Amino acid sequence: MTNQTIRQKLRPFSLFTASMALACAATGAQAAAQDTPSTTSASSSNQTGTTTTSGTGSQEQDLYNHSADTSHDVTHVTASPMNVLHESIGLSRMPQDAMHTPQNVNVVPQVLMQQQNVKSLDEALKNVPGITASVGEGEGGMAGDQFLIRGFAAQNDIYENGLRDFGVYTRDSFYYDHVSVIKGPSSEVFGNGTTGGAINIVTKTPHLGNSYQASFSGGSGSYYRGTLDVNYQLNSTTAFRLTGMGNENNVVGRDDIYSHRWGIAPSIAFGLGRKVSFVLEYFHQNDNRIPDYGVPVVYSSANAIGRPVTEYGVKRTNWYGTTYDQDNSSTDMITGRLTARVNPILTLYNDMRGGIFHRYFSASQEACSNFSSGATLTNNTINGVAPSSTCQSDFFSSNPAAAQVARNGGVGGPEPYRQSDWSIQDVFSGVARLKTGRIRHEIIGGFDIEYVTDHRQNYAYGSNRPSTSLLDPSPAVPGLTLGDCNQYPDRLVNIGNGVGRKCYKDSDALDVGFFLSDQIWLTNYLSVKAGFRWDNWNSHYSATGGSTATPDVHYGQNETTINPSVSIMYTPRSNLMVYFNWSESTTPLSMYVTNSSEPLNSKSATASPERSRLYEVGAKYSAFHDRVGFTAALFRLEKNNSIQTDPSTGDISATSDQERNQGLELSASGTLLRNWMFYGTYALYDPTITKAGSTTSKQGGQIQYVPHNQATAWTSYEIAPRKPWNMTIGGGITWRQGVWLDQANTARVPATVEFDAMVSHHFADHWKVAMNAYNLDNRLNYGSLFSNRVTPSIGRSFLFNISAQY
């Protein structure tokens, strides 16, 4: 089992034409009367909590060049690091902060992640309503970070500093500064995809001045974790930063599940504080973990609603995998980000990333089925008998111990595979702030070019993995052999649509996009922003080798799309904005190059892309001298030609389903009173299948995975700060109402309720000890969801942490 050499297909692209076009357009316009400060610099003081002074009758100018209403401010106040409205979105194409972005944006700030001792992207996103996690299925396996935003797939919509993170792995948060979730279709900014929104990770970067931080955590589930964060100033404009992590843990409440990972992220910045700056970053993460496909959903009778088998008394710790299961991944990315302030009018950016991703994945997909008398399930037959075909009826009989769970899934898989991917992306953009007569503009334009390729080699077991007991499973499988596709070509998974039992599967896609937007101030308080993005998405897929019974297949898809966006913003004061946003997004079926082993087939190659449309009205208000931020948004999200994933084969296909999710989202975050911080969100959704174009969907039913209600809250209070007996106590709740697991609304998972808490103490000026408790009432919650199985979340656990910061 050796990796096949990755073919070199890098294609050079010149950015000279783009830079000249933007520069010439800006030079021909009249310069703005005042040099508008950047949002990033304006928000930096809020992130560090520095003091803001306002005197009686003062008139301060904000980013949008109108007076801030501060005449009533007569005190010295401190902006709260928990107020996320002045956090940057973290990418050059969206230079505004969360306050002035005309979409609902949820930001998970650094201070919140520190108090909760967040260790992964999944843990950070628990603070964001409307996000759920799903597990991959079928032969593709997937797993890793597979999120849904407002109920719509976002596994291809994870970004880091505005550049796509294409790998399929579980992301550690050791190098995060904060995480932004931009809700709603955002193809005008990010390109194809982003039906429910986009997740953007903002990383820690070098800064002037020296700082040193280290921490160690240990606790339940044999948890051991160490992190390091060192920043060193080399000269007046250059600094180097190094962050690192080592982590080993089991999962409390689940048998045989563990993760052993380590990572390192060095970076260097040149030209800090100068007109031209450049940041060079490298990231590596290596992870050896056991994939957890959870527990099956069962039906007690023909007309019953399906529920997780653990709701009927089966142990939450049961894991139905084998000793052959593993998920080993290695991710490397190098990123360069150039910023050039050409003149007071024009700023140019060029962000480039190259990445390599390797993975070996082997997982057992359990199935607890029920067939009529005499029926057999061919792929799970053992010596001519299929004991797992009567799993459900056996479990609900007088002898439940007879129930056997299949581990080959619905099609005899997923089989192990080795994945080798690489990708390169370059985004060139320019931001011009200028006047034409009396009208002010903020023009953003540029090019986005990305190429990604995926190569997979499938492996096969010499025989079927035998079933195991539903009540008392065993991972041991004596006599099972694993070979390559030449040894067992007929044992490869025979999925449909002409792919067959093939050994090698190759995918690649080239995306070339152009984006342009203009925000026009009709008055000092009223502005309109309109923009679009043009994309050409050209993808290819082939399945070759292996069994000769099915011929090799080659598919391709070429889609040209235009995605517009229009926003109206009313900002009567610098700390208040009311907005309306309309935007569209497009998702070709071949978007999932690295996330699925079957991105194209004979049916989907000619299918129309998925289209979604957003209508949103909202308000954002930073109150009490920037100590507390409030947001409210009413939205309606419509999706046509919905993409669905078959739970048995993993095939991604287009349907004629039409879906609509509409609702209300609220948030409040900041310092309520002296030493008292709060972060809270709430979402009320009405997710409806407005047209059931397939037999697996229910007309008027509820969209799978989307709850009607969801809320999070976290609060902390610091007692006697800067005193020897100081203490910070905090706690929070995560609540998600029960959701349907399928579009037919026949299987349901109960509500999630999790109570967490923390206590910490500072000593010797630079040291801190803390204790975090998770799921205090040891409730049986479910994290990753899919149509016929769910994964129980972590049980009650405790984590001790000691850290030093200089």
Side-chain angles (χ1 to χ4, degrees), residues 73-90:
D73 296 344
V74 294
T75 57
H76 296 273
V77 298
T78 302
S80 169
M82 194 75 88
N83 180 2
V84 298
L85 287 182
H86 294 300
E87 287 276 20
S88 67
I89 303 299

Side-chain angles (χ1 to χ4, degrees), residues 352-422:
M352 175 177 281
R353 166 176 296 154
I356 298 176
F357 174 69
H358 296 286
R359 185 188 194 203
Y360 176 77
F361 185 79
S362 175
S364 297
Q365 179 179 306
E366 75 273 5
C368 185
S369 307
N370 200 49
F371 289 79
S372 58
S373 177
T376 59
L377 185 58
T378 305
N379 286 310
N380 293 303
T381 298
I382 304 162
N383 298 323
V385 219
S388 60
S389 67
T390 58
C391 175
Q392 292 185 39
S393 57
D394 289 340
F395 176 62
F396 290 107
S397 71
S398 58
N399 183 23
Q404 294 282 303
V405 174
R407 291 188 281 202
N408 292 314
V411 292
E415 301 286 9
Y417 62 85
R418 189 175 298 277
Q419 181 179 6
S420 298
D421 301 354
W422 63 268

Side-chain angles (χ1 to χ4, degrees), residues 265-494:
S267 57
I268 187 169
F270 304 92
L272 292 172
R274 299 294 178 88
K275 290 184 177 181
V276 179
S277 62
F278 180 72
V279 179
L280 182 64
E281 303 167 293
Y282 171 73
F283 167 79
H284 173 84
Q285 180 179 307
N286 197 83
D287 193 358
N288 176 17
R289 66 173 54 237
I290 299 297
D292 188 358
Y293 269 50
V295 299
V297 172
V298 296
Y299 298 78
S300 59
S301 66
N303 299 319
I305 298 298
R307 302 169 65 195
V309 71
T310 43
E311 294 297 304
Y312 295 98
V314 173
K315 294 183 294 185
R316 68 190 291 174
T317 58
N318 281 5
W319 178 65
Y320 298 100
T322 74
T323 53
Y324 288 80
D325 292 2
Q326 56 183 305
D327 185 359
N328 296 339
S329 63
S330 176
T331 306
D332 294 271
M333 293 186 292
I334 185 167
T335 306
R337 293 184 286 143
L338 176 68
T339 302
R341 294 175 177 83
V342 178
N343 53 45
I345 298 173
L346 179 65
T347 302
L348 298 178
Y349 304 89
N350 195 82
D351 304 327
M352 175 177 281
R353 166 176 296 154
I356 298 176
F357 174 69
H358 296 286
R359 185 188 194 203
Y360 176 77
F361 185 79
S362 175
S364 297
Q365 179 179 306
E366 75 273 5
C368 185
S369 307
N370 200 49
F371 289 79
S372 58
S373 177
T376 59
L377 185 58
T378 305
N379 286 310
N380 293 303
T381 298
I382 304 162
N383 298 323
V385 219
S388 60
S389 67
T390 58
C391 175
Q392 292 185 39
S393 57
D394 289 340
F395 176 62
F396 290 107
S397 71
S398 58
N399 183 23
Q404 294 282 303
V405 174
R407 291 188 281 202
N408 292 314
V411 292
E415 301 286 9
Y417 62 85
R418 189 175 298 277
Q419 181 179 6
S420 298
D421 301 354
W422 63 268
S423 175
I424 187 168
Q425 182 179 12
D426 189 277
V427 181
F428 171 83
S429 60
V431 179
R433 297 184 176 98
L434 49 93
K435 275 189 174 182
T436 56
R438 295 180 176 272
I439 304 296
R440 284 195 303 120
H441 301 261
E442 183 178 78
I443 302 173
I444 302 173
F447 292 95
D448 183 355
I449 302 171
E450 180 185 16
Y451 182 76
V452 59
T453 181
D454 171 75
H455 172 74
R456 298 194 183 199
Q457 178 179 349
N458 287 339
Y459 299 93
Y461 292 108
S463 59
N464 280 332
R465 284 160 282 186
S467 61
T468 189
S469 169
L470 175 65
L471 302 186
D472 188 21
S474 170
V477 186
L480 189 65
T481 57
L482 179 65
D484 61 28
C485 50
N486 295 318
Q487 291 175 276
Y488 306 113
D490 293 330
R491 298 292 307 167
L492 294 169
V493 177
N494 187 17

Side-chain angles (χ1 to χ4, degrees), residues 65 269 711 727 791:
N65 216 26
M727 180 179 294
T791 304

Side-chain angles (χ1 to χ4, degrees), residues 208 232-239:
L208 296 178
Y232 185 74
Q233 181 176 335
L234 300 176
N235 57 43
S236 61
T237 61
T238 308

